[in-house]
mmCIF file of all heavy atoms in Angstrom:
data_model
loop_
_atom_site.group_PDB
_atom_site.id
_atom_site.type_symbol
_atom_site.label_atom_id
_atom_site.label_comp_id
_atom_site.label_asym_id
_atom_site.label_seq_id
_atom_site.Cartn_x
_atom_site.Cartn_y
_atom_site.Cartn_z
ATOM 1 N N ARG A 1202 25.994 16.878 -42.369
ATOM 2 C CA ARG A 1202 25.879 17.739 -43.573
ATOM 3 C C ARG A 1202 24.821 18.828 -43.376
ATOM 4 O O ARG A 1202 25.004 19.946 -43.777
ATOM 5 C CB ARG A 1202 25.554 16.886 -44.786
ATOM 6 C CG ARG A 1202 26.739 16.154 -45.365
ATOM 7 C CD ARG A 1202 26.414 15.536 -46.691
ATOM 8 N NE ARG A 1202 27.163 14.309 -46.813
ATOM 9 C CZ ARG A 1202 26.682 13.044 -46.725
ATOM 10 N NH1 ARG A 1202 25.379 12.886 -46.527
ATOM 11 N NH2 ARG A 1202 27.449 12.024 -46.820
ATOM 12 N N ALA A 1203 23.676 18.443 -42.777
ATOM 13 C CA ALA A 1203 22.610 19.391 -42.551
ATOM 14 C C ALA A 1203 23.040 20.521 -41.586
ATOM 15 O O ALA A 1203 22.549 21.619 -41.684
ATOM 16 C CB ALA A 1203 21.412 18.676 -41.935
ATOM 17 N N LEU A 1204 24.004 20.211 -40.712
ATOM 18 C CA LEU A 1204 24.533 21.221 -39.792
ATOM 19 C C LEU A 1204 25.637 22.062 -40.435
ATOM 20 O O LEU A 1204 26.166 22.986 -39.809
ATOM 21 C CB LEU A 1204 25.077 20.553 -38.538
ATOM 22 C CG LEU A 1204 24.008 19.909 -37.611
ATOM 23 C CD1 LEU A 1204 24.673 19.050 -36.562
ATOM 24 C CD2 LEU A 1204 23.127 20.973 -36.978
ATOM 25 N N GLY A 1205 25.949 21.711 -41.674
ATOM 26 C CA GLY A 1205 27.003 22.485 -42.387
ATOM 27 C C GLY A 1205 28.406 22.066 -42.024
ATOM 28 O O GLY A 1205 29.360 22.785 -42.272
ATOM 29 N N LEU A 1206 28.562 20.911 -41.436
ATOM 30 C CA LEU A 1206 29.890 20.421 -41.039
ATOM 31 C C LEU A 1206 30.392 19.427 -42.050
ATOM 32 O O LEU A 1206 29.603 18.906 -42.836
ATOM 33 C CB LEU A 1206 29.806 19.761 -39.661
ATOM 34 C CG LEU A 1206 29.312 20.688 -38.496
ATOM 35 C CD1 LEU A 1206 29.152 19.885 -37.255
ATOM 36 C CD2 LEU A 1206 30.252 21.841 -38.298
ATOM 37 N N GLY A 1207 31.672 19.154 -42.031
ATOM 38 C CA GLY A 1207 32.276 18.233 -42.975
ATOM 39 C C GLY A 1207 32.825 16.961 -42.347
ATOM 40 O O GLY A 1207 32.653 16.721 -41.143
ATOM 41 N N TYR A 1208 33.531 16.200 -43.150
ATOM 42 C CA TYR A 1208 34.082 14.946 -42.717
ATOM 43 C C TYR A 1208 35.017 15.079 -41.512
ATOM 44 O O TYR A 1208 34.907 14.288 -40.569
ATOM 45 C CB TYR A 1208 34.823 14.249 -43.874
ATOM 46 C CG TYR A 1208 35.638 13.021 -43.431
ATOM 47 C CD1 TYR A 1208 35.006 11.834 -43.218
ATOM 48 C CD2 TYR A 1208 36.997 13.159 -43.170
ATOM 49 C CE1 TYR A 1208 35.736 10.735 -42.755
ATOM 50 C CE2 TYR A 1208 37.725 12.061 -42.741
ATOM 51 C CZ TYR A 1208 37.069 10.862 -42.516
ATOM 52 O OH TYR A 1208 37.779 9.769 -42.076
ATOM 53 N N GLN A 1209 35.914 16.059 -41.569
ATOM 54 C CA GLN A 1209 36.909 16.196 -40.471
ATOM 55 C C GLN A 1209 36.170 16.510 -39.158
ATOM 56 O O GLN A 1209 36.558 15.983 -38.102
ATOM 57 C CB GLN A 1209 37.902 17.263 -40.808
ATOM 58 C CG GLN A 1209 38.832 16.814 -41.940
ATOM 59 C CD GLN A 1209 39.885 17.850 -42.291
ATOM 60 O OE1 GLN A 1209 39.665 19.051 -42.098
ATOM 61 N NE2 GLN A 1209 40.974 17.413 -42.856
ATOM 62 N N ASP A 1210 35.149 17.359 -39.206
ATOM 63 C CA ASP A 1210 34.382 17.638 -37.996
ATOM 64 C C ASP A 1210 33.697 16.367 -37.455
ATOM 65 O O ASP A 1210 33.675 16.088 -36.278
ATOM 66 C CB ASP A 1210 33.362 18.712 -38.273
ATOM 67 C CG ASP A 1210 33.971 20.037 -38.715
ATOM 68 O OD1 ASP A 1210 34.927 20.491 -38.002
ATOM 69 O OD2 ASP A 1210 33.539 20.584 -39.718
ATOM 70 N N ALA A 1211 33.078 15.639 -38.393
ATOM 71 C CA ALA A 1211 32.375 14.410 -38.021
ATOM 72 C C ALA A 1211 33.339 13.393 -37.389
ATOM 73 O O ALA A 1211 33.056 12.778 -36.361
ATOM 74 C CB ALA A 1211 31.709 13.789 -39.231
ATOM 75 N N HIS A 1212 34.551 13.274 -37.980
ATOM 76 C CA HIS A 1212 35.526 12.357 -37.472
ATOM 77 C C HIS A 1212 35.958 12.738 -36.048
ATOM 78 O O HIS A 1212 36.082 11.940 -35.158
ATOM 79 C CB HIS A 1212 36.741 12.315 -38.430
ATOM 80 C CG HIS A 1212 37.770 11.328 -38.016
ATOM 81 N ND1 HIS A 1212 38.872 11.647 -37.278
ATOM 82 C CD2 HIS A 1212 37.840 9.987 -38.261
ATOM 83 C CE1 HIS A 1212 39.578 10.582 -37.049
ATOM 84 N NE2 HIS A 1212 39.001 9.558 -37.649
ATOM 85 N N ALA A 1213 36.218 14.053 -35.876
ATOM 86 C CA ALA A 1213 36.625 14.553 -34.545
ATOM 87 C C ALA A 1213 35.518 14.308 -33.506
ATOM 88 O O ALA A 1213 35.822 13.900 -32.368
ATOM 89 C CB ALA A 1213 36.967 16.020 -34.602
ATOM 90 N N LEU A 1214 34.254 14.510 -33.896
ATOM 91 C CA LEU A 1214 33.161 14.313 -32.965
ATOM 92 C C LEU A 1214 33.030 12.794 -32.599
ATOM 93 O O LEU A 1214 32.799 12.492 -31.445
ATOM 94 C CB LEU A 1214 31.849 14.813 -33.580
ATOM 95 C CG LEU A 1214 31.739 16.323 -33.674
ATOM 96 C CD1 LEU A 1214 30.560 16.720 -34.581
ATOM 97 C CD2 LEU A 1214 31.626 16.943 -32.315
ATOM 98 N N LEU A 1215 33.185 11.952 -33.581
ATOM 99 C CA LEU A 1215 33.142 10.509 -33.307
ATOM 100 C C LEU A 1215 34.279 10.054 -32.408
ATOM 101 O O LEU A 1215 34.087 9.257 -31.513
ATOM 102 C CB LEU A 1215 33.160 9.701 -34.609
ATOM 103 C CG LEU A 1215 31.876 9.623 -35.342
ATOM 104 C CD1 LEU A 1215 32.064 8.947 -36.689
ATOM 105 C CD2 LEU A 1215 30.793 8.873 -34.547
ATOM 106 N N THR A 1216 35.459 10.605 -32.680
ATOM 107 C CA THR A 1216 36.624 10.246 -31.883
ATOM 108 C C THR A 1216 36.385 10.611 -30.427
ATOM 109 O O THR A 1216 36.643 9.843 -29.498
ATOM 110 C CB THR A 1216 37.878 10.945 -32.422
ATOM 111 O OG1 THR A 1216 38.061 10.522 -33.748
ATOM 112 C CG2 THR A 1216 39.087 10.630 -31.591
ATOM 113 N N THR A 1217 35.837 11.791 -30.196
ATOM 114 C CA THR A 1217 35.497 12.234 -28.840
ATOM 115 C C THR A 1217 34.423 11.349 -28.230
ATOM 116 O O THR A 1217 34.521 10.960 -27.078
ATOM 117 C CB THR A 1217 35.061 13.695 -28.857
ATOM 118 O OG1 THR A 1217 36.127 14.508 -29.442
ATOM 119 C CG2 THR A 1217 34.722 14.192 -27.461
ATOM 120 N N ALA A 1218 33.413 11.038 -29.014
ATOM 121 C CA ALA A 1218 32.315 10.193 -28.543
ATOM 122 C C ALA A 1218 32.790 8.816 -28.077
ATOM 123 O O ALA A 1218 32.282 8.244 -27.127
ATOM 124 C CB ALA A 1218 31.204 10.080 -29.587
ATOM 125 N N PHE A 1219 33.802 8.264 -28.766
ATOM 126 C CA PHE A 1219 34.371 6.993 -28.401
ATOM 127 C C PHE A 1219 35.386 7.125 -27.253
ATOM 128 O O PHE A 1219 35.937 6.132 -26.810
ATOM 129 C CB PHE A 1219 35.051 6.330 -29.630
ATOM 130 C CG PHE A 1219 34.088 5.565 -30.492
ATOM 131 C CD1 PHE A 1219 33.658 6.094 -31.682
ATOM 132 C CD2 PHE A 1219 33.600 4.335 -30.099
ATOM 133 C CE1 PHE A 1219 32.770 5.401 -32.484
ATOM 134 C CE2 PHE A 1219 32.676 3.651 -30.910
ATOM 135 C CZ PHE A 1219 32.298 4.179 -32.092
ATOM 136 N N GLY A 1220 35.641 8.321 -26.806
ATOM 137 C CA GLY A 1220 36.527 8.554 -25.679
ATOM 138 C C GLY A 1220 37.994 8.435 -26.076
ATOM 139 O O GLY A 1220 38.844 8.180 -25.257
ATOM 140 N N LEU A 1221 38.268 8.683 -27.350
ATOM 141 C CA LEU A 1221 39.662 8.639 -27.811
ATOM 142 C C LEU A 1221 40.188 10.044 -27.942
ATOM 143 O O LEU A 1221 39.457 10.994 -28.033
ATOM 144 C CB LEU A 1221 39.717 7.919 -29.168
ATOM 145 C CG LEU A 1221 39.127 6.517 -29.217
ATOM 146 C CD1 LEU A 1221 39.045 6.016 -30.643
ATOM 147 C CD2 LEU A 1221 39.932 5.547 -28.347
ATOM 148 N N LYS A 1222 41.510 10.154 -27.982
ATOM 149 C CA LYS A 1222 42.147 11.466 -28.176
ATOM 150 C C LYS A 1222 41.920 11.859 -29.653
ATOM 151 O O LYS A 1222 42.213 11.072 -30.529
ATOM 152 C CB LYS A 1222 43.642 11.388 -27.859
ATOM 153 C CG LYS A 1222 44.309 12.700 -27.955
ATOM 154 C CD LYS A 1222 45.747 12.608 -27.531
ATOM 155 C CE LYS A 1222 46.420 13.955 -27.701
ATOM 156 N NZ LYS A 1222 47.839 13.930 -27.486
ATOM 157 N N ALA A 1223 41.445 13.040 -29.841
ATOM 158 C CA ALA A 1223 41.185 13.534 -31.193
ATOM 159 C C ALA A 1223 42.500 13.671 -31.950
ATOM 160 O O ALA A 1223 43.454 14.178 -31.438
ATOM 161 C CB ALA A 1223 40.426 14.840 -31.166
ATOM 162 N N PRO A 1224 42.503 13.187 -33.209
ATOM 163 C CA PRO A 1224 43.742 13.333 -34.008
ATOM 164 C C PRO A 1224 43.938 14.788 -34.403
ATOM 165 O O PRO A 1224 43.009 15.539 -34.502
ATOM 166 C CB PRO A 1224 43.469 12.457 -35.225
ATOM 167 C CG PRO A 1224 41.954 12.474 -35.367
ATOM 168 C CD PRO A 1224 41.474 12.559 -33.941
ATOM 169 N N ARG A 1225 45.155 15.141 -34.612
ATOM 170 C CA ARG A 1225 45.477 16.499 -35.072
ATOM 171 C C ARG A 1225 45.204 16.530 -36.585
ATOM 172 O O ARG A 1225 45.860 15.800 -37.337
ATOM 173 C CB ARG A 1225 46.927 16.835 -34.766
ATOM 174 C CG ARG A 1225 47.253 18.274 -34.998
ATOM 175 C CD ARG A 1225 48.472 18.616 -34.132
ATOM 176 N NE ARG A 1225 48.935 19.954 -34.438
ATOM 177 C CZ ARG A 1225 48.451 21.059 -33.902
ATOM 178 N NH1 ARG A 1225 47.466 20.966 -33.008
ATOM 179 N NH2 ARG A 1225 48.935 22.214 -34.225
ATOM 180 N N LEU A 1226 44.255 17.343 -36.994
ATOM 181 C CA LEU A 1226 43.850 17.375 -38.406
ATOM 182 C C LEU A 1226 44.713 18.366 -39.142
ATOM 183 O O LEU A 1226 45.195 19.328 -38.584
ATOM 184 C CB LEU A 1226 42.355 17.788 -38.469
ATOM 185 C CG LEU A 1226 41.410 16.834 -37.753
ATOM 186 C CD1 LEU A 1226 39.987 17.383 -37.757
ATOM 187 C CD2 LEU A 1226 41.444 15.443 -38.399
ATOM 188 N N PRO A 1227 44.869 18.126 -40.451
ATOM 189 C CA PRO A 1227 45.703 19.035 -41.265
ATOM 190 C C PRO A 1227 45.296 20.491 -41.169
ATOM 191 O O PRO A 1227 46.136 21.350 -41.069
ATOM 192 C CB PRO A 1227 45.507 18.499 -42.677
ATOM 193 C CG PRO A 1227 45.057 17.104 -42.528
ATOM 194 C CD PRO A 1227 44.328 17.062 -41.225
ATOM 195 N N HIS A 1228 44.004 20.774 -41.108
ATOM 196 C CA HIS A 1228 43.586 22.170 -41.084
ATOM 197 C C HIS A 1228 43.930 22.827 -39.731
ATOM 198 O O HIS A 1228 44.125 24.002 -39.636
ATOM 199 C CB HIS A 1228 42.111 22.358 -41.427
ATOM 200 C CG HIS A 1228 41.150 21.925 -40.335
ATOM 201 N ND1 HIS A 1228 40.794 20.620 -40.148
ATOM 202 C CD2 HIS A 1228 40.524 22.656 -39.394
ATOM 203 C CE1 HIS A 1228 39.972 20.553 -39.116
ATOM 204 N NE2 HIS A 1228 39.772 21.746 -38.656
ATOM 205 N N ASP A 1229 44.089 22.004 -38.673
ATOM 206 C CA ASP A 1229 44.533 22.514 -37.359
ATOM 207 C C ASP A 1229 46.013 22.973 -37.474
ATOM 208 O O ASP A 1229 46.369 24.055 -36.950
ATOM 209 C CB ASP A 1229 44.489 21.469 -36.282
ATOM 210 C CG ASP A 1229 43.049 21.054 -35.934
ATOM 211 O OD1 ASP A 1229 42.126 21.862 -36.255
ATOM 212 O OD2 ASP A 1229 42.858 19.991 -35.345
ATOM 213 N N ASP A 1230 46.868 22.211 -38.183
ATOM 214 C CA ASP A 1230 48.251 22.589 -38.337
ATOM 215 C C ASP A 1230 48.378 23.877 -39.123
ATOM 216 O O ASP A 1230 49.152 24.723 -38.787
ATOM 217 C CB ASP A 1230 49.021 21.475 -39.105
ATOM 218 C CG ASP A 1230 49.184 20.209 -38.256
ATOM 219 O OD1 ASP A 1230 49.122 20.324 -37.026
ATOM 220 O OD2 ASP A 1230 49.372 19.118 -38.844
ATOM 221 N N GLN A 1231 47.566 23.952 -40.174
ATOM 222 C CA GLN A 1231 47.610 25.149 -41.007
ATOM 223 C C GLN A 1231 47.198 26.391 -40.195
ATOM 224 O O GLN A 1231 47.788 27.436 -40.343
ATOM 225 C CB GLN A 1231 46.719 24.999 -42.216
ATOM 226 C CG GLN A 1231 47.232 23.956 -43.202
ATOM 227 C CD GLN A 1231 46.199 23.585 -44.256
ATOM 228 O OE1 GLN A 1231 45.080 24.101 -44.221
ATOM 229 N NE2 GLN A 1231 46.599 22.751 -45.181
#
């Protein structure tokens, strides 16, 4: 939050940190 990021950004960063393929987020499709 302090960096101005939201839940979707946090989720994508965690997914990458765990070495998983990042899910395609709704805002990416849009």
Side-chain angles (χ1 to χ4, degrees):
R1202 283 189 212 106
L1204 292 168
L1206 301 174
Y1208 170 79
Q1209 290 179 335
D1210 298 311
H1212 185 265
L1214 290 167
L1215 281 173
T1216 300
T1217 302
F1219 276 103
L1221 304 171
K1222 184 177 177 186
R1225 190 156 172 85
L1226 300 174
H1228 75 278
D1229 291 341
D1230 291 337
Q1231 292 169 356

